[in-house]
């Protein structure tokens, strides 16, 4: 649990009443029924310890991802794997993007790592460009952290640029950490897993959280050909860190590919609708390929929506952003309509648009 510490993320529906949560980017359809049935079927064995090696789950992931089982390590959510990676790799200098997911920096700070950030700009729609290659050559870090698609921008990194980055990391002996937790919900993002065998510097992070609506059960996994790294990561976490219920849920989730196809179709349609509605208010909206949208709007919009029971993610704590930046999940159409109506009602009552860009 968090003790006397603020939660820097979305999804906090417990401190205040929330009827609609746009702050967490989970699957808009929720959890598939097949996963819920699998968890129910596993309940009678709750008195047993879970498999500490996650054998059946690792086997299922290996078949799904088409990689060797020795490349896979499971964890209690992606966050645990981020922290154990930072502890095991223990870089003294790392590079990440700005803005990007905050847990990379928090994990690096725990091991005393210096962090340098490559700024992404609104003027270029927060896209990563080839200037990043020269930046890496100048900085000479021990590790690079990329999020593809990036959180909170929703921008995917072109495969050609990813390959260039990987080649440079190989030449300079830099570890490359790539977070693909949202990749399964994108339009055209491509995984880097085909490079694992030839690039032991490459580490890929994935999770069941977003794609399969499993945030509450905590299950993630990573892939790497660096056996020592995975062994060191495993040594840094407690045994039985992945519950038997989570293992059962993960195995069932990998059978839910039609569910993911339906989700991608919905996200594509609703994301376009939401973007147009937000732009009609005069907001600037980042072109996203993921199941969420970053936009700039009136200051305190999140607080005014929260008063109506609607949570959106304020992005004022992201490096490179600030007050007036928000991220919203793409949800079901009637929920998206509710959000837009709420913003319209606020616009009628208050002069909020004066501080928009």
């Amino acid at each position: 649990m968090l003790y006397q510490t603020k939660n820097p993320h979305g999804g906090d529906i417990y401190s205040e009443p929330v009827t609609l949560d746009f702050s967490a980017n989970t699957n808009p359809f929720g959890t598939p029924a097949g996963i819920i049935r699998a968890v129910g079927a596993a309940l009678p064995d709750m008195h047993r310890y879970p498999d500490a090696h996650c054998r059946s789950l690792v086997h299922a992931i290996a078949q799904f991802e088409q990689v060797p089982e020795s490349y896979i390590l499971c964890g209690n959510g992606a966050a645990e794997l981020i922290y154990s990676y930072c502890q095991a790799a223990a870089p003294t200098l790392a590079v990440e993007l700005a803005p990007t997911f905050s847990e990379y920096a928090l994990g690096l700070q725990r091991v005393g790592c210096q962090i340098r950030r490559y700024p992404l700009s609104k003027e270029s729609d927060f896209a990563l460009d080839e200037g990043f290659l020269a930046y890496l050559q100048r900085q000479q870090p021990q590790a690079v952290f990329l999020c593809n698609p990036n959180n909170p921008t929703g921008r995917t990194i072109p495969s050609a640029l990813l390959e260039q980055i990987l080649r440079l990391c190989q030449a300079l002996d830099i570890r490359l950490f790539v977070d693909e937790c949202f990749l399964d919900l994108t339009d055209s993002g491509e995984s880097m897993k085909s490079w694992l065998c030839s690039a032991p510097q490459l580490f890929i992070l994935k999770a069941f959280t977003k794609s399969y609506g499993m945030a509450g059960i905590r299950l993630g996994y990573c892939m790497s050909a660096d056996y020592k790294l995975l062994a060191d990561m495993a040594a840094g976490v407690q045994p039985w860190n992945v519950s038997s219920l989570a293992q059962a849920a993960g195995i069932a989730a990998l059978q839910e590919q039609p569910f993911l196809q339906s989700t991608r179709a919905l996200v594509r349609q609703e994301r376009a609708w939401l973007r147009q509605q937000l732009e009609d208010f005069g907001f600037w909206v980042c072109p996203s390929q993921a199941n969420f949208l970053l936009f700039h709007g009136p200051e305190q919009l999140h607080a005014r929506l929260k008063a109506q029971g609607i949570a959106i993610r304020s992005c004022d704590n992201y490096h490179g952003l600030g007050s007036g930046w928000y991220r919203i999940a793409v949800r079901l159409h009637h929920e998206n309509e509710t959000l837009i109506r709420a913003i319209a009602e606020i616009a009628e009552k208050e002069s909020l648009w004066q501080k928009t860009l």
Side-chain angles (χ1 to χ4, degrees):
M1 60 173 282
L2 289 175
Y3 180 73
Q4 301 296 321
T5 304
K6 290 183 178 180
N7 176 13
H9 304 295
D12 183 7
I13 60 172
Y14 308 99
S15 58
E16 299 178 60
V18 172
T19 56
L20 263 181
D21 184 13
F22 285 84
S23 69
N25 305 320
T26 55
N27 195 302
F29 287 122
T31 310
I35 297 176
I36 295 173
R37 287 194 297 269
V39 171
L43 288 174
D45 287 328
M46 282 180 60
H47 64 289
R48 303 181 187 277
Y49 280 100
D51 178 3
H53 298 281
C54 301
R55 293 173 179 88
S56 296
L57 176 58
V58 166
H59 179 72
I61 293 171
Q63 288 190 316
F64 177 77
E65 298 286 5
Q66 293 296 291
V67 300
E69 292 185 16
S70 61
Y71 285 17
I72 297 166
L73 178 67
C74 297
N76 188 258
E80 181 184 64
L81 293 166
I82 293 171
Y83 281 82
S84 58
Y85 175 89
C86 292
Q87 181 181 10
T92 58
L93 176 63
V95 164
E96 68 173 18
L97 306 180
T100 198
F101 186 48
S102 63
E103 290 297 328
Y104 314 140
L106 293 173
L108 291 166
Q109 288 166 4
R110 286 193 179 185
V111 298
C113 181
Q114 183 181 1
I115 303 165
R116 293 179 184 161
R117 296 180 172 90
Y118 184 77
L120 305 175
S121 69
K122 174 189 170 188
E123 290 69 30
S124 61
D125 291 336
F126 291 102
L128 184 62
D129 55 36
E130 292 186 358
F132 187 61
L133 299 169
Y135 183 81
L136 292 181
Q137 289 179 313
R138 292 195 302 271
Q139 299 297 331
Q140 298 282 314
Q142 283 85 50
V144 176
F145 285 72
L146 296 177
C147 189
N148 186 36
N150 193 27
N151 176 8
T153 66
R155 300 303 308 270
T156 55
I157 305 172
S159 297
L161 180 55
L162 281 171
E163 182 178 347
Q164 288 180 284
I165 294 169
L166 177 59
R167 295 297 192 193
L168 181 61
C169 288
Q170 288 179 300
L172 299 178
D173 193 25
I174 299 172
R175 292 188 181 274
L176 178 58
F177 180 111
V178 181
D179 182 343
E180 295 185 354
C181 287
F182 286 103
L183 195 65
D184 289 340
L185 295 179
T186 63
D187 296 332
S188 57
E190 294 184 22
S191 175
M192 294 193 74
K193 63 185 178 182
S194 63
W195 294 98
L196 287 168
C197 182
S198 60
Q201 297 91 347
L202 177 61
F203 178 95
I204 297 175
L205 179 70
K206 296 197 72 173
F208 293 86
T209 306
K210 312 302 190 302
S211 300
Y212 302 101
M214 288 169 49
I217 208 161
R218 312 308 304 137
L219 181 62
Y221 63 95
C222 61
M223 298 180 286
S224 173
D226 188 339
Y227 176 82
K228 184 179 184 305
L229 172 68
L230 296 183
D232 289 344
M233 288 175 61
V237 299
Q238 63 174 332
W240 309 296
N241 59 323
V242 181
S243 74
S244 55
L245 302 183
Q247 292 182 43
I251 293 169
L254 297 175
Q255 307 301 315
E256 295 286 349
Q257 297 318 295
F259 174 81
L260 280 190
Q261 292 174 4
S262 299
T263 303
R264 283 191 289 266
L266 173 79
V267 166
R268 190 181 309 114
Q269 176 177 319
E270 290 300 313
R271 185 180 60 223
W273 185 85
L274 270 173
R275 181 181 179 182
Q276 184 61 61
Q277 298 299 312
L278 293 170
E279 289 179 338
D280 287 348
F281 285 124
F283 302 164
W284 184 89
V285 186
C286 185
S288 169
Q289 288 87 42
N291 61 317
F292 51 89
L293 286 168
L294 174 72
F295 69 94
H296 190 273
E299 294 183 7
Q300 296 303 309
L301 176 62
H302 64 296
R304 287 165 171 81
L305 286 170
K306 195 68 171 288
Q308 298 188 36
I310 299 175
I312 66 173
R313 174 68 158 89
S314 172
C315 295
D316 57 0
N317 64 334
Y318 278 90
H319 288 277
L321 299 179
S323 181
W325 285 99
Y326 307 99
R327 188 197 67 201
I328 57 169
V330 176
R331 301 203 54 81
L332 301 178
H333 186 68
H334 72 276
E335 295 173 318
N336 298 332
E337 285 185 317
T338 300
L339 171 66
I340 296 302
R341 281 198 303 270
I343 296 175
E345 290 172 6
I346 294 169
E348 291 178 1
K349 295 178 181 178
E350 305 180 40
S351 300
L352 291 178
W353 307 155
Q354 294 176 2
K355 294 185 179 180
T356 60
L357 292 182

